[in-house]
Amino acid sequence: MYPPSRKDFISLTLSDPHSHTYNNGKHRRQSCWRKWKQLSRLQRSLILFLLALLLIFGLISFPSISEQWRVSSGVVDRLEAVRQAFRHAWKGYKDHAWGHDELKPISKSFGEWFGLGLTLIDSLDTMWILGLKEEFAEARAWVEKDLSFDKNVDVNLFETTIRVLGGLISTYHLSADQLFLEKAKDLGSRLMPAFKTPSKIPFSDVNIGKGTAHPPRWTSDSTLAEVTSVQLEFRELSRLTQEPQYQEVVNEVMKLVHKLPGKHDGLVPMFINTNSGQFTHKGVFTLGARADSYYEYLLKQWIQGGKTEDDLLEDYLGAVEGVKKHLVRKTGPSKLTFVGELSHNRFNPKMDHLVCFLPGTLALGAHNGLPGDHMDLAVELMETCHQMYKQMETGLSPEIAHFSLQPSDGRDVIVKPADKHNLLRPETVESLFYMYRFTKDAKYRDWGWEILQSFNKYTKVPDGGYTSINNVRDPVNPGPRDKMESFFLGETLKYLYLLFSDDTELLSLDKYVFNTEAHPLPIWPSPPK
């Protein structure tokens, strides 16, 4: 076949239907141009002027439109990043620790504490909030088929109440699924023997199969935080079941502690004896381990009950004044406000990461009408908790920080060798969530985002799960510890998601109060007046 001649090519083009489109377009352009030429000079000038105005307006508004798009897409990206982190953590748990208490992500195995599927139950309401329906359905099936409390095992009253009982009750409220309430009732009744003590101060340990309870092997004391941080859950169980005994036993503990001698301007010692009902180890006061959630639950019980229980409010306000009077100091170098400890009138500039719950709690109190200077202190302490992350080479906080009181020292935060580990704890992101909800200051979101990125960089295990680390000061070798605590999914990731969400009605702080394991429980309706 020969190639077509020029004449053939022209005839082909003319017969092509698409060539009519070309000719029509050409005709339209000529027609438009003729109409434009028929307009007067004034009319043409006016049209050009209006087009120029539109162009200028577009250029001026472009940055704000693009900024709005960037911010909104950033929020979506951050929420999705939390979902991805949760899915990654869950994948490790599902692959290597399904139905067990904790994942060991490095060795791809599991750790058992009570044998109650702690990570799974702690994660239920987080999955619901994050909209992870498939994962939630799998976990629900395990709860229905495999979760049994009829076993000969000693459990810690406090840990089981805040993680398992709290997790089941909150999931019932969110999902309205009766299965979770039935499981909560079963567990609640099995924990009751802990309260059968001479003083009505509960034992720390209870055998949920045998119905017996006892103190730890080494002492007859219980930790004050533990016996005063089961109230939100037991009170709510009474409200749901219409069985008053759960609320009665925990209210009795609060009444006893309210009247006890041995407090120091509202501050309480760390231990209480189950035989005598008296404080022990007097003279040592901290807002860290063994005392922290006592203060948190004073405020939260008052809010839960509709702000009617005056003893709780009195104890909380007194405690905040005691903190300000005895424990609050500023660092020498940068004047960071921190909360130290008191040991027999000797001040120790030591602050557990656990104390970073306090900015959020103070802010929650101020939101509920308590003095404005509580919020001022919350803002200052939030900055310090942020610096506990920012001043570390990995961007992650140590378990315990010591603070320099000398202006000549280079750093505010000093980390001792035994305190360099990070357990994926939630307290700082918890407080960031409260601070953002109440102030809408975007810096709190940015700080939370930095923390999530550091978790991803230094604690994420490639094929599933996250691990606690040994050394926040060594980014080259942070030293994975091979343990993912259940609270990383139950609290840390949940609070990050809520921090980044624009939906203020998602667990509104005027409708829900969070227990100390981040399980939301409803604020009770006010009684009729």
Side-chain angles (χ1 to χ4, degrees):
M1 242 184 111
Y2 295 100
S5 67
R6 188 165 175 269
K7 187 178 173 185
D8 295 332
F9 187 80
I10 289 167
S11 69
L12 278 168
T13 306
L14 289 172
S15 66
D16 184 353
H18 294 292
S19 67
H20 294 298
T21 310
Y22 168 75
N23 290 331
N24 287 343
K26 186 177 178 184
H27 177 72
R28 276 198 300 272
R29 283 197 295 276
Q30 287 172 344
S31 171
C32 289
W33 177 247
R34 273 200 302 274
K35 285 176 183 173
W36 174 255
K37 293 290 278 182
Q38 285 168 1
L39 294 172
S40 70
R41 185 176 289 177
L42 179 63
Q43 286 171 321
R44 280 184 280 180
S45 299
L46 192 59
I47 289 168
L48 289 169
F49 176 71
L50 288 170
L51 286 170
L53 271 182
L54 282 169
L55 181 64
I56 291 164
F57 175 76
L59 289 170
I60 290 168
S61 63
F62 177 74
S64 63
I65 292 167
S66 65
E67 176 63 17
Q68 283 172 1
W69 179 86
R70 187 188 67 76
V71 169
S72 65
S73 67
V75 167
V76 170
D77 288 346
R78 289 180 177 188
L79 290 177
E80 189 51 41
V82 179
R83 277 198 202 93
Q84 286 172 5
F86 185 95
R87 283 194 191 102
H88 186 81
W90 189 250
K91 179 185 185 304
Y93 177 73
K94 187 179 168 185
D95 288 351
H96 306 298
W98 184 251
H100 298 287
D101 285 341
E102 290 163 340
L103 167 67
K104 292 184 170 183
I106 306 293
S107 58
K108 297 182 175 53
S109 59
F110 58 84
E112 212 70 293
W113 194 4
F114 310 134
L116 300 179
L118 287 185
T119 295
L120 189 146
I121 294 175
D122 239 352
S123 304
L124 285 165
D125 55 9
T126 307
M127 288 185 271
W128 186 270
I129 293 159
L130 270 58
L132 301 175
K133 293 178 181 174
E134 193 178 311
E135 291 87 345
F136 181 86
E138 289 173 337
R140 185 205 180 277
W142 182 86
V143 171
E144 184 173 37
K145 295 188 191 97
D146 299 307
L147 178 61
S148 170
F149 300 122
D150 187 14
K151 51 174 66 178
N152 177 12
V153 61
D154 279 4
V155 304
N156 177 276
L157 169 69
F158 165 70
E159 296 288 357
T160 306
T161 298
I162 65 169
R163 300 189 200 215
V164 186
L165 185 62
L168 291 169
I169 293 174
S170 69
T171 305
Y172 164 70
H173 279 297
L174 294 174
S175 68
D177 187 332
Q178 204 69 23
L179 167 70
F180 300 108
L181 180 56
E182 292 306 317
K183 293 288 185 183
K185 286 183 195 171
D186 184 22
L187 178 60
S189 65
R190 291 170 183 276
L191 293 173
M192 286 294 279
F195 295 90
K196 291 178 180 163
T197 70
S199 65
K200 299 183 180 173
I201 299 295
F203 288 128
S204 63
D205 295 279
V206 55
N207 187 305
I208 53 175
K210 289 182 176 177
T212 56
H214 59 88
R217 282 185 295 278
W218 57 90
T219 177
S220 58
D221 291 345
S222 283
T223 299
L224 191 86
E226 295 189 351
V227 303
T228 55
S229 306
V230 293
Q231 278 67 15
L232 291 176
E233 301 82 358
F234 273 83
R235 285 156 49 111
E236 179 60 13
L237 188 61
S238 268
R239 192 176 77 95
L240 288 170
T241 61
Q242 297 297 299
E243 295 175 24
Q245 73 264 26
Y246 302 114
Q247 181 164 352
E248 286 168 0
V249 292
V250 296
N251 280 1
E252 186 66 27
V253 175
M254 298 312 297
K255 285 180 197 159
L256 289 167
V257 173
H258 174 69
K259 295 183 293 196
L260 271 187
K263 292 181 190 168
H264 187 43
D265 292 327
L267 303 176
V268 290
M270 292 189 291
F271 295 98
I272 189 164
N273 189 275
T274 51
N275 293 317
S276 68
Q278 300 294 312
F279 291 130
T280 60
H281 299 74
K282 291 180 186 175
V284 179
F285 302 99
T286 176
L287 261 74
R290 302 195 174 98
D292 50 351
S293 46
Y294 160 75
Y295 302 100
E296 177 190 355
Y297 268 41
L298 286 173
L299 175 70
K300 288 182 174 179
Q301 286 175 81
W302 177 69
I303 293 170
Q304 178 192 44
K307 305 180 187 177
T308 59
E309 296 153 289
D310 294 340
D311 284 357
L312 295 167
L313 179 61
E314 179 191 324
D315 287 349
Y316 177 74
L317 290 172
V320 174
E321 289 309 304
V323 168
K324 291 195 289 189
K325 182 176 177 181
H326 298 291
L327 303 183
V328 171
R329 296 278 196 286
K330 288 188 186 291
T331 62
S334 305
K335 305 296 178 211
L336 294 177
T337 303
F338 70 95
V339 175
E341 297 184 351
L342 206 59
S343 181
H344 306 291
N345 293 319
R346 222 183 135 84
F347 182 77
N348 183 2
K350 162 186 177 281
M351 178 167 143
D352 292 1
H353 182 272
L354 288 166
V355 182
C356 287
F357 85 91
L358 187 58
T361 298
L362 289 166
L364 180 63
H367 175 72
N368 280 278
L370 302 189
D373 65 353
H374 288 205
M375 192 63 179
D376 299 335
L377 180 56
V379 170
E380 292 178 23
L381 289 172
M382 193 75 260
E383 172 66 38
T384 303
C385 291
H386 167 56
Q387 290 298 328
M388 285 165 65
Y389 284 76
K390 196 168 181 62
Q391 293 189 22
M392 297 302 115
E393 288 79 353
T394 58
L396 293 172
S397 170
E399 177 73 357
I400 298 169
H402 287 76
F403 291 93
S404 170
L405 300 173
Q406 304 307 317
S408 57
D409 286 352
R411 300 179 81 110
D412 297 279
V413 185
I414 301 156
V415 187
K416 298 194 173 177
D419 306 331
K420 290 187 294 189
H421 51 289
N422 179 290
L423 304 181
L424 312 172
R425 282 200 189 277
E427 287 76 22
T428 293
V429 294
E430 170 187 355
S431 284
L432 288 172
F433 156 64
Y434 285 102
M435 296 302 287
Y436 180 75
R437 276 276 175 104
F438 298 138
T439 70
K440 292 292 181 276
D441 189 332
K443 75 180 180 188
Y444 296 126
R445 278 183 162 176
D446 293 338
W447 294 354
W449 181 240
E450 289 165 12
I451 291 170
L452 177 58
Q453 288 177 305
S454 294
F455 278 136
N456 279 330
K457 188 170 182 181
Y458 295 106
T459 72
K460 189 175 183 178
V461 179
D463 47 4
Y466 288 75
T467 179
S468 45
I469 57 173
N470 276 320
N471 192 351
V472 297
R473 304 295 309 273
D474 188 350
V476 177
N477 182 23
R481 282 190 154 197
D482 197 19
K483 187 175 184 183
M484 184 175 78
E485 301 277 357
S486 78
F487 53 64
F488 181 65
L489 292 91
E491 300 186 71
T492 309
L493 293 178
K494 182 187 293 154
Y495 280 129
L496 281 167
Y497 187 85
L498 293 170
L499 168 64
F500 298 143
S501 173
D502 278 336
D503 182 2
T504 52
E505 282 305 300
L506 179 61
L507 300 174
S508 161
L509 292 171
D510 295 319
K511 296 175 183 171
Y512 289 92
V513 63
F514 286 81
N515 86 340
T516 197
E517 191 75 10
H519 297 305
L521 304 171
I523 294 170
W524 300 346
S526 298
K529 289 180 181 175

